[in-house]
Amino acid sequence: AFNVSIEFKTSSAKENRRNLKRLKGRCKELEAAIGEELKFEHPWGNRWARVRSTYPSAEPTADLREWAVTTMRKYIQCFRPLL
């Protein structure tokens, strides 16, 4: 699988969780704008958190490249104003 994600990796698990919770509260709106199911994960690692979308294959194909570029653009457009 191949992931596109927003990762919160501060030294504070509490801050990472707070950032994730703020985005999770807008889950339906974000999923509609991005066109992907979003997975909200905490803890990820010891104290980190992330929001991710997953493409089912990591095989380097034109479809994966198109999905990755399009999804990254949507992430930037949707998440930047919120962070």
Side-chain angles (χ1 to χ4, degrees):
F2 187 91
N3 294 315
V4 170
S5 63
I6 297 290
E7 301 174 354
F8 301 103
K9 293 183 171 182
T10 72
S11 60
S12 167
K14 186 177 180 180
E15 183 179 345
N16 295 334
R17 188 173 41 252
R18 184 175 46 240
N19 287 327
L20 185 72
K21 188 176 179 180
R22 192 174 70 226
L23 295 178
K24 193 172 185 178
R26 301 178 80 163
C27 177
K28 296 298 178 196
E29 170 190 347
L30 292 167
E31 285 182 334
I34 293 170
E36 295 282 335
E37 177 185 359
L38 300 176
K39 294 179 179 63
F40 295 82
E41 299 176 330
H42 183 273
W44 171 59
N46 289 330
R47 61 183 163 260
W48 301 331
R50 71 178 172 179
V51 180
R52 70 178 170 92
S53 297
T54 302
Y55 189 81
S57 172
E59 185 68 31
T61 64
D63 288 342
L64 170 58
R65 183 174 52 248
E66 179 64 28
W67 177 86
V69 169
T70 300
T71 303
M72 284 184 235
R73 281 188 187 131
K74 290 177 182 178
Y75 265 56
I76 291 166
Q77 291 168 346
C78 292
F79 290 114
R80 180 177 269 165
L82 304 176
L83 300 175

